Amino acid sequence: QVQLVESGGGLVQTGGSLRLSCAASGRTISSYVMGWFRQAPGKEREFVAAIKWSGGSIYYTNYADSVKGRFTISRDNAKNTVYLQMNSLKPEDTAVYYCAARSGEISTLRERYDLWGQGTQVTVSS
């Protein structure tokens, strides 16, 4: 059973940066699609970004429109870890950020992901 643990959240000012990490244990995640989702108070959990490794140096990524150009998802299969680099943060990025994993192709739908971490809080002050 794969376990996912997020870290790196915190409080940052508008325009600042944070890097979230998602460390996996239990088995290698190299074959999994890894995604980041977020949930703000009173809102549905929404897709942020996802990444799939297709071998060698080939990676496929997908981003929500709201974070394109500001966030970058990456993975280090050797470390069994996925990252989310968040730049130019805005107050509307405030949410609990969750790491998720699924087999198969990239999906933006949260119900397609089988494995979830416990989340890490990101707060962006104005």
Side-chain angles (χ1 to χ4, degrees):
Q1 180 74 7
V2 176
Q3 291 187 321
L4 305 175
V5 178
E6 303 94 334
S7 62
L11 174 64
V12 64
Q13 291 186 333
T14 296
S17 298
L18 283 175
R19 188 176 83 153
L20 305 184
S21 298
C22 172
S25 61
R27 62 168 292 177
T28 180
I29 59 168
S30 59
S31 64
Y32 285 85
V33 169
M34 301 300 297
W36 286 97
F37 289 75
R38 66 186 182 187
Q39 188 167 18
K43 294 188 176 182
E44 297 284 321
R45 191 171 299 188
E46 64 176 5
F47 171 77
V48 176
I51 186 168
K52 176 182 172 71
W53 178 58
S54 291
S57 60
I58 301 174
Y59 296 86
Y60 296 99
T61 58
N62 193 1
Y63 294 92
D65 288 343
S66 58
V67 307
K68 278 181 183 176
R70 300 188 298 122
F71 291 11
T72 302
I73 188 171
S74 62
R75 65 193 298 164
D76 186 335
N77 290 331
K79 295 183 177 180
N80 231 25
T81 301
V82 179
Y83 305 97
L84 185 68
Q85 178 67 43
M86 306 186 295
N87 298 329
S88 302
L89 283 161
K90 306 174 182 179
E92 50 264 44
D93 294 319
T94 295
V96 177
Y97 283 71
Y98 296 90
C99 177
R102 72 179 304 265
S103 300
E105 301 304 315
I106 286 180
S107 175
T108 63
L109 303 176
R110 64 181 185 273
E111 57 267 28
R112 297 284 175 88
Y113 287 78
D114 308 302
L115 303 169
W116 293 85
Q118 84 290 346
T120 185
Q121 176 71 47
V122 171
T123 303
V124 184
S125 64
S126 56

